Amino acid sequence: MSQPLINKFVVVGIGLIGGSLATGLTQRGACAEVIGIARKPETCDEAVARGVVARAYTSLRDVASELGKGDVIFISVPTLSVTAVLQEIKDFISPDVTITDGASVKGSVQRAAEQVFGVIPPQLVLGHPIAGSEKSGVTAANPNLYENHRVILTPFSNTSAQDLALVSAMWQAVGAEVLTMSVEEHDEVLGATSHLPHVIAYSLVDTLAQDIHNPNIFRYAAGGFRDFTRIASSDPVMWHDIMRANKVAILQSMDLFIDNLSRLRSSIEHEDSDYLLKVFSRAKEARDEFTVMLAQRQVSTKKE
Amino acid sequence: MSQPLINKFVVVGIGLIGGSLATGLTQRGACAEVIGIARKPETCDEAVARGVVARAYTSLRDVASELGKGDVIFISVPTLSVTAVLQEIKDFISPDVTITDGASVKGSVQRAAEQVFGVIPPQLVLGHPIAGSEKSGVTAANPNLYENHRVILTPFSNTSAQDLALVSAMWQAVGAEVLTMSVEEHDEVLGATSHLPHVIAYSLVDTLAQDIHNPNIFRYAAGGFRDFTRIASSDPVMWHDIMRANKVAILQSMDLFIDNLSRLRSSIEHEDSDYLLKVFSRAKEARDEFTVMLAQRQVSTKKE
């Protein structure tokens, strides 16, 4: 047997994202051991009992002395809790350990790292797997979550090439395709294609749930509504953090959307058939192209 | 063999909705014969070639002389084309034939019927199957489309009890659950739970597709985005007609939604965590309850 890609894989925050990567790496023999870190002792116990991690502790400090080159720390706590984890890393962890994360917003992690370290250390590779689910918590961990999904890494000019290569190989090991881009581009693109849809879905469901004229309105909704609102079942604390962390890009996207929707509202009011047909046709065309592209991407990933 | 529920079933407009009902009734032995009416001769030929209908014509006039008691005409043309079909019915069809429809908006059909007939005839039962797909056309016809779905009928005070019973039994024969409510209630509820989500999905996809700063933005979208925007692949002409037909209710729903979304925008701008968490949690709770209800409904329908 060849040596595994990673020696010790330490997952800080054992929820859907971290638990899925931990079990994915274990099942594929890509790490020698998985260690979990969670704030609550119950989460530690449950993660061990479910076999998601081999052992677990409530602080990174408890494992600091045994970590070195070839080990990876993966930070997968809610976005606004990253600073506290980075502080522990600064205080206790060797510069030989590769550090990466899975937060949905990269600008806020960059700012947190600058605040804690002054200059972001070369060992820290920021990343974001474009995969998820409306489910959350360690019970939702799924070793195949990242198969055929994309992971965006946002390296800085001083990021260590070796650490970047190890993090890329780690994601490829669980079936993901790795891309790189700047922190700014990442946050703009995700603000538009992920954060904006979540705000819209939450707002729509809340609008209907608050409509006192139609207390039983959901009784008459069907499968299309279920698909459309699936993301409104996502974890509220996680999404609150994302709204705070990516505020500027999300507000920009919301303004573009509210402007487009208001023009559509006006065209319905004034029965402007040409405008309505133009927008609906253009949207259908773009969305149909997107699904073709997504299907091709999945086929080509499976072939490799 | 007992006699089938319906003698001749005439489907006017052989697309997803009409074709699915036709094949569903045929497969379950619930009608003696299916006759199709379509404006284009090619659609007639294709519907016959695919076995969706036994024979097809380009006008209701061609079959008028052979229709009587026990026969059903189902109108499933785009919403704004209903008037022309009702005019043909007035001119050529016997009052003994049961007439019903599947349009997504009932107020506009009511107004069209009043315009054509003066007083809406007792033989005309308005209805709407809460089922559909982003696919359209005769090639999308699916005999099981209505299984476990709801159909809303909106009878008037002078609607014939016999015709209403036959239309109810027809929908139950293809596995649907039948409810009745007023035209006004139907259009308000559907405006909120179906028409509003479609406007939003079209507008979101169009907003992103028009964003010149991010020409490749869809490259980074994933499965959640695919689900969220599925309904933006729906037929533009059909949805244009619905926007025109249910204008008042849709504008009301849009105003409530835009107001809620604008408050959410302001709470993101001012980092009002309490408000954000309250809305996200309330929405998640309502959406989780909805999916439980939907699952229970499907289990209970299957048991019957």
Side-chain angles (χ1 to χ4, degrees):
Chain A
M1 282 277 291
S2 63
Q3 224 187 324
L5 179 71
I6 295 168
N7 184 27
K8 288 173 180 161
F9 176 76
V10 183
V11 52
V12 185
I14 323 168
L16 169 72
I17 296 299
S20 295
L21 182 55
T23 52
L25 291 170
T26 304
Q27 281 203 5
R28 288 162 182 84
C31 66
E33 189 187 16
V34 173
I35 303 169
I37 309 289
R39 202 162 38 85
K40 295 181 190 161
E42 311 90 83
T43 310
C44 293
D45 293 346
E46 188 173 10
V48 173
R50 290 182 169 268
V52 172
V53 302
R55 48 198 171 103
Y57 305 91
T58 55
S59 166
L60 261 178
R61 194 176 190 161
D62 300 326
V63 292
S65 63
E66 56 172 304
L67 298 182
K69 198 165 179 58
D71 299 326
V72 172
I73 294 177
F74 179 64
I75 307 171
S76 51
V77 297
T79 303
L80 299 185
S81 308
V82 169
T83 307
V85 177
L86 292 175
Q87 189 61 55
E88 282 196 319
I89 287 171
K90 186 189 177 208
D91 293 345
F92 307 116
I93 303 297
S94 152
D96 292 337
V97 178
T98 303
I99 318 282
T100 188
D101 82 315
S104 304
V105 183
K106 302 272 55 88
S108 64
V109 178
Q110 177 182 6
R111 290 189 295 276
E114 284 165 351
Q115 185 196 320
V116 168
F117 293 99
V119 172
I120 297 174
Q123 75 193 117
L124 177 57
V125 182
L126 302 192
H128 175 212
I130 315 292
S133 159
E134 75 280 14
K135 304 193 185 87
S136 55
V138 63
T139 53
N142 165 11
N144 300 314
L145 182 66
Y146 303 113
E147 283 272 10
N148 298 317
H149 282 83
R150 292 184 157 187
V151 172
I152 297 173
L153 301 181
T154 60
F156 302 104
S157 55
N158 72 328
T159 300
S160 137
Q162 232 179 337
D163 290 303
L164 179 60
L166 182 56
V167 172
S168 292
M170 172 187 84
W171 284 114
Q172 285 161 352
V174 293
E177 183 190 358
V178 176
L179 310 170
T180 61
M181 62 176 72
S182 73
V183 165
E184 294 70 28
E185 188 181 359
H186 172 276
D187 286 0
E188 261 185 40
V189 166
L190 271 287
T193 59
S194 169
H195 309 168
L196 175 61
H198 277 81
V199 187
I200 292 173
Y202 278 130
S203 180
L204 173 69
V205 174
D206 188 53
T207 301
L208 301 190
Q210 299 304 308
D211 186 349
I212 51 164
H213 299 299
N214 286 302
N216 297 316
I217 200 154
F218 292 112
R219 280 188 60 199
Y220 307 109
F225 186 78
R226 183 184 50 207
D227 282 356
F228 188 67
T229 58
R230 189 183 310 282
I231 54 182
S233 283
S234 304
D235 182 43
V237 173
M238 176 181 155
W239 281 94
H240 159 270
D241 283 14
I242 291 173
M243 296 301 134
R244 296 282 303 261
N246 201 23
K247 173 176 154 173
V248 175
I250 292 172
L251 289 177
Q252 269 171 7
S253 290
M254 286 183 82
D255 288 342
L256 285 177
F257 171 70
I258 292 173
D259 187 47
N260 185 302
L261 188 65
S262 300
R263 268 181 286 145
L264 211 44
R265 187 209 174 282
S266 163
S267 75
I268 294 170
E269 188 173 15
H270 300 105
E271 305 187 0
D272 183 347
S273 290
D274 288 348
Y275 186 82
L276 280 171
L277 280 169
K278 188 179 75 181
V279 171
F280 291 0
S281 304
R282 208 160 57 185
K284 176 180 169 55
E285 194 184 336
R287 201 268 170 190
D288 287 350
E289 273 174 24
F290 162 69
T291 52
V292 169
M293 190 181 66
L294 203 63
Q296 283 171 345
R297 187 196 304 170
Q298 286 170 348
V299 169
S300 76
T301 316
K302 271 175 192 151
K303 267 192 212 150
E304 278 159 14
Chain B
M1 280 275 290
S2 64
Q3 224 188 324
L5 179 69
I6 295 168
N7 184 27
K8 287 173 181 160
F9 176 76
V10 183
V11 54
V12 185
I14 322 169
L16 170 72
I17 296 299
S20 295
L21 182 55
T23 52
L25 291 170
T26 303
Q27 282 203 5
R28 289 163 182 85
C31 64
E33 189 187 15
V34 174
I35 303 169
I37 309 289
R39 203 163 36 88
K40 296 181 192 161
E42 311 90 83
T43 310
C44 291
D45 294 345
E46 189 174 9
V48 172
R50 290 183 168 267
V52 172
V53 301
R55 49 198 170 104
Y57 306 89
T58 55
S59 165
L60 259 178
R61 193 174 190 163
D62 301 326
V63 291
S65 64
E66 56 172 303
L67 298 182
K69 197 165 182 55
D71 299 327
V72 172
I73 294 177
F74 178 64
I75 307 169
S76 51
V77 296
T79 302
L80 298 186
S81 310
V82 169
T83 307
V85 177
L86 291 176
Q87 188 63 54
E88 283 197 316
I89 287 170
K90 187 189 178 209
D91 293 344
F92 308 115
I93 302 297
S94 151
D96 290 337
V97 178
T98 303
I99 319 282
T100 187
D101 82 316
S104 303
V105 182
K106 303 270 58 88
S108 63
V109 178
Q110 178 183 5
R111 289 189 296 275
E114 283 164 351
Q115 185 196 319
V116 169
F117 293 99
V119 172
I120 296 174
Q123 76 193 117
L124 176 58
V125 181
L126 301 191
H128 175 213
I130 314 294
S133 160
E134 75 279 14
K135 304 193 186 87
S136 54
V138 64
T139 54
N142 166 11
N144 300 314
L145 182 67
Y146 302 112
E147 284 273 8
N148 297 318
H149 283 81
R150 292 184 158 188
V151 172
I152 297 174
L153 302 181
T154 58
F156 302 104
S157 55
N158 71 328
T159 300
S160 138
Q162 233 178 337
D163 290 303
L164 179 60
L166 181 56
V167 172
S168 293
M170 172 188 83
W171 285 112
Q172 286 160 351
V174 293
E177 183 189 357
V178 176
L179 310 169
T180 60
M181 61 176 70
S182 73
V183 164
E184 294 70 28
E185 188 181 0
H186 171 276
D187 286 359
E188 263 185 37
V189 166
L190 271 288
T193 59
S194 169
H195 310 167
L196 175 61
H198 277 79
V199 187
I200 292 172
Y202 278 128
S203 180
L204 172 69
V205 174
D206 188 53
T207 301
L208 301 190
Q210 297 305 307
D211 187 350
I212 50 163
H213 298 298
N214 286 301
N216 298 315
I217 199 154
F218 292 112
R219 281 190 59 202
Y220 307 109
F225 186 78
R226 184 185 49 207
D227 282 357
F228 187 67
T229 57
R230 190 182 310 280
I231 53 181
S233 283
S234 304
D235 181 43
V237 174
M238 177 181 155
W239 282 95
H240 159 270
D241 283 13
I242 291 174
M243 296 301 136
R244 297 281 304 260
N246 201 23
K247 173 176 156 174
V248 175
I250 291 172
L251 288 176
Q252 269 173 5
S253 290
M254 287 183 82
D255 288 342
L256 286 176
F257 171 71
I258 291 173
D259 187 49
N260 185 303
L261 188 65
S262 300
R263 269 181 286 146
L264 209 46
R265 188 208 174 284
S266 163
S267 75
I268 294 170
E269 187 173 18
H270 300 106
E271 305 188 0
D272 183 347
S273 290
D274 288 349
Y275 186 82
L276 280 171
L277 280 168
K278 189 179 76 180
V279 171
F280 290 1
S281 305
R282 209 160 54 185
K284 176 179 168 55
E285 194 184 334
R287 202 268 172 188
D288 288 350
E289 272 173 26
F290 162 69
T291 52
V292 169
M293 189 179 67
L294 204 61
Q296 284 171 344
R297 188 197 302 170
Q298 286 170 347
V299 169
S300 76
T301 316
K302 274 177 190 149
K303 268 192 208 147
E304 279 160 14

